[in-house]
């Protein structure tokens, strides 16, 4: 059942978008610069120790537990939005179009085109306790950074709403967490080797944000115009034999 669900047209189209949205969240100016600090918090190691490749098993476990923490939070969001979509199925078309307008707005915010909306709202008070606190810090990250990564998260949860299923919403949110969490884990394991890549990303923040924002605007337009449904129907014709079963 789960395999059929994932291979249905709507999720085939939405899943890669959710992964890309997660990656954009990781690359955003309010997450990437602070990722090394969070690695230190969740592992109990100094930045120098992580850079030297010390205790890689500890780095892997700490970063994985951190990712697990915010994944539980964001997947629960997806379940809630999927259930809400099911409950409001009668009015889903209208609500989807309204949410599409919101996604367009958030995309413009992500591109920096809405004055006064570029503040980085987040919590700066994080204690360092090491591995045992990593899942809790992941949850706090999800709560504290939600306004900051809101544009991409809003787009994913809007897609979860259109799926009208708790399971589909969870799968879609999990894809977002993969896009956000896997780079975080890789950063910890390859910290000494990715300095040049991080510098390149920082130099090109503006371009990354504009491209990411444009992607959100496109998704919003598809939702508002109803073309999203047309695309999912077309995707189903490409995968014969798979139908929406959940």
């Amino acid at each position: 059942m789960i395999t059929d669900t994932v291979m249905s047209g709507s999720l085939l189209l939405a899943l890669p978008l959710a992964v890309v949205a997660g990656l954009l969240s990781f690359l955003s100016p309010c997450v990437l610069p602070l990722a090394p600090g969070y690695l230190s918090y969740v592992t109990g190691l100094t930045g120098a120790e992580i850079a030297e490749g010390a205790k890689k098993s500890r780095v892997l476990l700490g970063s994985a537990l951190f990712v697990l923490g915010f994944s539980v939070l964001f997947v629960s969001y997806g379940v809630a939005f999927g259930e809400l979509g099911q409950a409001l199925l009668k009015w889903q078309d209208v609500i989807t179009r309204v949410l599409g307008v919101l996604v367009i707005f958030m995309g413009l915010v992500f591109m920096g085109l809405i004055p006064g909306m570029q503040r980085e709202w987040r919590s700066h008070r994080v204690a360092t306790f090491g591995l045992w606190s990593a899942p809790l810090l992941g949850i706090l990250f999800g709560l504290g950074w939600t306004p900051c990564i809101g544009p991409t998260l809003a787009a994913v949860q809007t897609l979860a709403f259109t799926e009208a299923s708790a399971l589909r919403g969870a799968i879609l949110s999990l894809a977002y967490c993969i896009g956000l969490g896997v780079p975080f884990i890789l950063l910890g394991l390859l910290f000494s080797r990715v300095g040049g890549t991080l510098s390149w990303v920082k130099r090109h923040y503006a371009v990354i944000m504009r491209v990411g924002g444009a992607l959100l605007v496109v998704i919003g337009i598809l939702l508002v115009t109803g073309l999203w449904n047309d695309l999912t129907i077309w995707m189903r014709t490409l995968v014969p034999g798979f139908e929406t079963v959940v």
Side-chain angles (χ1 to χ4, degrees):
M1 179 184 293
I2 292 180
T3 301
D4 290 358
T5 299
V6 171
M7 291 298 291
S8 70
S10 55
L11 276 189
L12 274 178
L13 183 61
L15 281 173
L17 294 176
V19 174
V20 171
L23 179 60
L24 287 172
S25 293
F26 177 79
L27 295 176
S28 67
C30 58
V31 174
L32 182 59
L34 299 172
Y38 262 87
L39 280 172
S40 181
Y41 288 134
V42 302
T43 61
L45 301 173
T46 66
E49 288 175 322
I50 296 174
E52 291 170 359
K55 301 181 180 178
K56 282 199 172 183
S57 59
R58 184 181 183 89
V59 173
L60 175 60
L61 180 59
S63 56
L65 289 173
F66 176 77
V67 170
L68 176 64
F70 68 70
S71 295
V72 169
L73 180 69
F74 292 151
V75 169
S76 69
Y77 288 171
V79 171
F81 273 83
E83 286 282 10
L84 186 62
Q86 178 66 36
L88 300 178
L89 200 57
K90 181 179 180 181
W91 302 280
Q92 191 183 54
D93 186 59
V94 173
I95 296 175
T96 296
R97 294 175 192 272
V98 172
L99 291 176
V101 173
L102 174 62
V103 172
I104 293 173
F105 175 78
M106 298 298 265
L108 296 176
V109 170
F110 207 72
M111 297 171 73
L113 298 180
I114 307 295
M117 294 294 292
Q118 292 300 301
R119 284 182 267 177
E120 297 178 14
W121 300 333
R122 58 179 183 260
S123 171
H124 293 272
R125 300 183 62 186
V126 181
T128 174
F129 296 108
L131 291 178
W132 72 268
S133 64
L136 176 59
L137 290 176
I139 294 174
L140 292 176
F141 168 86
L143 293 172
W145 262 250
T146 296
C148 187
I149 62 178
T152 52
L153 187 59
V156 171
Q157 300 309 335
T158 296
L159 295 180
F161 176 87
T162 65
E163 293 298 328
S165 161
L167 175 59
R168 288 166 170 269
I171 293 173
L172 204 52
S173 296
L174 181 60
Y176 174 83
C177 293
I178 290 172
L180 176 58
V182 169
F184 185 88
I185 295 173
L186 292 178
L187 175 64
L189 296 177
L190 305 174
F191 192 79
S192 61
R193 303 180 186 179
V194 297
T197 302
L198 294 181
S199 298
W200 184 90
V201 171
K202 291 177 182 178
R203 289 196 306 270
H204 295 83
Y205 268 145
V207 174
I208 292 172
M209 294 302 100
R210 286 168 185 161
V211 171
L215 173 64
L216 297 182
V217 170
V218 169
I219 294 173
I221 291 173
L222 291 175
L223 292 168
V224 170
T225 59
L227 290 176
W228 178 261
N229 288 334
D230 294 340
L231 280 175
T232 59
I233 292 172
W234 175 71
M235 288 292 291
R236 289 192 184 101
T237 65
L238 297 180
V239 190
F242 287 101
E243 299 292 338
T244 301
V245 296
V246 176

